[in-house]
Amino acid sequence: KMAVCTVIGFPNGYNTTAVKVFETKDAIANGADEIDMVINIGDLKDKEYDKVEDEIRQLKEACGDHILKVIIETCLLTDEEKIKMCELVTRAGADFIKTSTGKESPAATPEAAYVMCQAIKEYFLETGRKVGFKPAGGINSVRDALVYYTIVKELLGEEWLTNELFRLDTSRMATFLLSDIVGSETKFF
């Protein structure tokens, strides 16, 4: 079965927590298997960390056993804010942290991935809790994908190289891989 995923609070995350909880419950009631929530970056920038963490926790509670991925829009954040978000996501019980909605540029970057994976590793070593990593946006080649694969492998280890803990957000990857194998542009979709 292919998982059904929807985004809550897209694209800016400015909906109230109550609206996001309602959207989450409604999406799951209508067949969603996974929820991608967009954080309220204004709250993060205002250092309203308890509010950000509480919102993630409430959405995870609304998700129940379903997967919750938290989109943090890394291009708008400092390295310190990226690290803080990894901490909040881990403590709040979310399953993944995701770099971007793909609406802002640059979306995923190796530099952001490195900072985030290092923070994920540190929180795992402190808490024993594994949180997945999902780079999203701007992954435009097999080489790009291999860069993120290598960062995850080197920082988090091979146990993270499963779809339960590492996913690439690129709808064109099958086409990229097939084209590289065939040696000419080949459309998968």
Side-chain angles (χ1 to χ4, degrees):
K1 174 187 171 207
M2 180 175 272
V4 175
C5 180
T6 193
V7 184
I8 304 300
F10 188 82
N12 299 315
Y14 293 136
N15 306 42
T16 65
T17 299
V19 168
K20 288 180 179 178
V21 168
F22 173 81
E23 287 180 330
T24 298
K25 289 178 179 179
D26 187 56
I28 289 171
N30 283 288
D33 299 301
E34 300 184 3
I35 301 295
D36 287 16
M37 71 165 286
V38 182
I39 66 158
N40 183 323
I41 293 174
D43 288 343
L44 178 65
K45 292 289 186 182
D46 289 343
K47 298 184 178 0
E48 298 276 349
Y49 303 134
D50 289 342
K51 187 175 180 183
V52 173
E53 184 178 344
D54 183 61
E55 181 173 88
I56 297 167
R57 185 171 279 112
Q58 285 188 51
L59 266 71
K60 181 56 187 170
E61 184 178 310
C63 283
D65 293 338
H66 296 81
I67 291 175
L68 175 65
K69 297 184 290 286
V70 180
I71 303 170
I72 66 169
E73 211 66 87
T74 55
C75 68
L76 302 176
L77 306 181
T78 66
D79 285 351
E80 292 76 22
E81 289 167 333
K82 292 170 198 159
I83 292 166
K84 186 64 174 178
M85 279 310 306
C86 289
E87 176 187 341
L88 298 177
V89 166
T90 300
R91 283 197 324 229
D95 303 290
F96 274 83
I97 189 162
K98 187 173 170 180
T99 59
S100 175
T101 60
K103 294 291 183 186
E104 298 291 333
S105 185
T109 65
E111 295 80 12
Y114 184 89
V115 168
M116 293 170 70
C117 287
Q118 187 64 42
I120 290 168
K121 178 181 181 178
E122 289 173 15
Y123 292 111
F124 168 69
L125 293 174
E126 288 176 22
T127 66
R129 183 164 163 0
K130 291 182 180 177
V131 173
F133 174 66
K134 186 172 184 178
I139 302 169
N140 296 316
S141 69
V142 173
R143 183 192 172 287
D144 290 344
L146 288 172
V147 167
Y148 293 105
Y149 177 92
T150 302
I151 290 169
V152 170
K153 181 180 179 190
E154 294 302 317
L155 288 177
L156 296 171
E158 292 205 22
E159 69 259 32
W160 250 268
L161 297 177
T162 68
N163 68 344
E164 288 89 22
L165 293 170
F166 175 57
R167 299 183 187 170
L168 292 169
D169 194 340
T170 174
S171 58
R172 300 172 292 172
M173 189 53 60
T175 296
F176 297 149
L177 288 168
L178 187 57
S179 295
D180 279 4
I181 292 167
V182 172
S184 64
E185 187 174 340
T186 305
K187 298 284 184 188
F188 184 76
F189 293 110

